[in-house]
Amino acid sequence: MSGLVCGLDVHKRHCEATVIDWFGNVIESRRISKDELYSFLSSMNVSLVAVESSSYVHPMYSKLRAMGLEVIVAHPKKTRLIAENRLKSDRRDSECLAELARLGALPSSYVPEGEVARMRELVRRRAFLVRLRTRLKNRITATLALEGVEVPKGLKLFTRNGLEWLRSLGMSSIDRYLRILEGLNQEIGLVSKELDKYAGDEDVRLLMTIPGVGLYSALMIKAEIGDLSRFPDADHLCSYAGLVPSERSSGGRTRRGRITEEGSRWLRWIMVEVAHVHVRYDTHFTRAYHRIAARRGKKVATVALARRLLRCVYAMLRDRKPFVNRAQAR
């Protein structure tokens, strides 16, 4: 490969850059501002850039790719050489990134581009806002309990009638929460409208044939998986979602424990949410769920169901075939 290798330790306003050649010799090492970075890389004839994943990296990634550079975004948890380096500094971190990239030993993180990146940002934003709304609703319920106010029997708090009843209480704390709740509902509605344009996506429509998968869960699954071809099989996809059991092998003995919970926490979360809804249907998956639940409990069975559904997702997207309920096909 022609050109040089650059390791970047990125901060909010500056970067620590170390440029090395393909023999490992340091050509340049210095701190530069982000505005100067792109001209610096061009002047140094850099062809490969290695940078550790962080919230500051993603805007930079697209610009570097547009310059025609090969960019590796390092997996922060797996870059052990940096984490275990006793002489730790920004300069040493950037040098280690460059060296690992030169050797082809840098564990990378997937960075989506184009419409997939846009979709991922929108579904994560919506999920974040919905979580805030749920916490706010729980806070309203807790405030009523603290004040000793009982909800009328049969009244659902956050329906139209329930909200009118809450306003009629004349409690300043509840009124404040309700104003925030109204704002959150408006923002969630706006994001939902932006996401509606993806409703006709072929992959999304395919995923929605799975019982329990609605529009927004299908969008999140697609956005979190991104390019399916980066997973050689369904096991690798389940591992990416952190839904596989941890394993320790020593002396010919293998012990399996709880799921690893590594990789995409959003994909893991949405698959568990889908599993909770899927159990309401009679499918071959839910029948297996009930068998596992009888032996090992509902929590273990739910995780097992989420893993099976994700395997099913992989097969459907790979083969371009809708969900088939084998329980009803017999």
Side-chain angles (χ1 to χ4, degrees):
M1 180 182 289
S2 61
L4 303 174
V5 183
C6 179
L8 290 176
D9 188 62
V10 182
H11 297 272
K12 188 174 182 179
R13 293 185 177 87
H14 70 272
C15 304
E16 194 72 42
T18 299
V19 179
I20 64 174
D21 61 21
W22 289 97
F23 298 100
N25 302 310
V26 176
I27 306 300
E28 183 75 41
S29 184
R30 64 161 129 157
R31 177 173 294 188
I32 55 176
S33 69
K34 287 187 177 180
D35 294 333
E36 299 172 327
L37 173 64
Y38 307 105
S39 58
F40 168 76
L41 293 175
S42 298
S43 66
M44 294 296 296
N45 191 29
V46 169
S47 62
L48 174 62
V49 178
V51 56
E52 191 171 356
S53 180
S54 72
S55 56
Y56 304 123
V57 166
H58 295 279
M60 183 185 295
Y61 177 85
S62 299
K63 291 183 180 180
L64 294 174
R65 292 275 293 172
M67 291 172 60
L69 299 177
E70 181 183 351
V71 185
I72 302 176
V73 179
H75 193 299
K77 288 186 177 180
K78 295 181 180 179
T79 315
R80 291 189 175 181
L81 181 58
I82 294 175
E84 295 174 358
N85 193 346
R86 291 190 177 185
L87 299 175
K88 186 168 175 60
S89 66
D90 292 344
R91 179 165 294 187
R92 284 293 300 157
D93 285 354
S94 64
E95 187 178 336
C96 287
L97 284 168
E99 182 65 16
L100 286 171
R102 180 183 74 87
L103 296 171
L106 190 64
S108 61
S109 293
Y110 171 68
V111 180
E113 298 183 77
E115 278 301 301
V116 175
R118 174 66 176 162
M119 184 191 300
R120 178 181 283 195
E121 194 280 327
L122 284 172
V123 292
R124 286 186 177 184
R125 190 196 312 171
R126 186 182 185 277
F128 173 74
L129 291 172
V130 169
R131 288 182 178 185
L132 283 181
R133 183 174 64 180
T134 300
R135 291 182 64 184
L136 188 59
K137 288 180 178 181
N138 292 339
R139 187 61 188 167
I140 291 172
T141 304
T143 301
L144 293 176
L146 186 65
E147 297 294 335
V149 179
E150 293 189 9
V151 181
K153 190 174 182 180
L155 179 68
K156 294 184 177 180
L157 271 186
F158 301 104
T159 60
R160 181 177 298 178
N161 292 336
L163 292 173
E164 288 179 0
W165 177 79
L166 285 170
R167 293 189 185 97
S168 70
L169 296 175
M171 297 172 60
S172 60
S173 57
I174 296 295
D175 290 340
R176 291 191 185 98
Y177 288 141
L178 290 178
R179 286 194 292 272
I180 299 172
L181 182 63
E182 184 178 356
L184 280 174
N185 284 333
Q186 290 176 356
E187 292 301 321
I188 291 169
L190 290 173
V191 178
S192 298
K193 285 183 179 179
E194 288 188 68
L195 285 169
D196 284 344
K197 67 181 180 181
Y198 297 110
D201 183 271
E202 186 180 350
D203 290 342
V204 171
R205 293 174 66 86
L206 201 61
L207 291 171
M208 287 175 66
T209 62
I210 302 174
V213 175
L215 173 61
Y216 301 116
S217 52
L219 287 170
M220 178 162 280
I221 292 169
K222 175 181 170 64
E224 291 302 316
I225 291 175
D227 181 9
L228 188 71
S229 64
R230 63 196 181 101
F231 303 105
D233 52 43
D235 287 338
H236 283 79
L237 177 57
C238 291
S239 179
Y240 172 72
L243 286 171
V244 296
S246 56
E247 184 176 302
R248 291 181 179 272
S249 298
S250 178
R253 298 180 63 182
T254 300
R255 295 182 181 180
R256 289 184 173 84
R258 299 178 62 181
I259 58 173
T260 61
E261 295 188 2
E262 297 209 358
S264 173
R265 61 186 177 89
W266 289 104
L267 182 57
R268 180 169 61 255
W269 169 74
I270 197 61
M271 292 311 303
V272 171
E273 291 297 307
V274 166
H276 284 305
V277 181
H278 190 85
V279 293
R280 302 172 189 171
Y281 300 86
D282 179 25
T283 69
H284 54 289
F285 287 137
T286 54
R287 292 182 182 184
Y289 163 86
H290 290 300
R291 290 195 296 270
I292 297 172
R295 299 194 320 267
R296 305 191 60 189
K298 290 185 178 180
K299 287 185 178 181
V300 173
T302 300
V303 172
L305 175 57
R307 184 166 55 247
R308 290 184 183 215
L309 286 170
L310 190 53
R311 286 175 171 274
C312 178
V313 165
Y314 181 88
M316 289 169 59
L317 294 176
R318 180 196 60 196
D319 301 335
R320 316 304 306 165
K321 293 182 179 179
F323 179 82
V324 177
N325 185 1
R326 294 201 297 269
Q328 295 179 356
R330 292 172 183 173

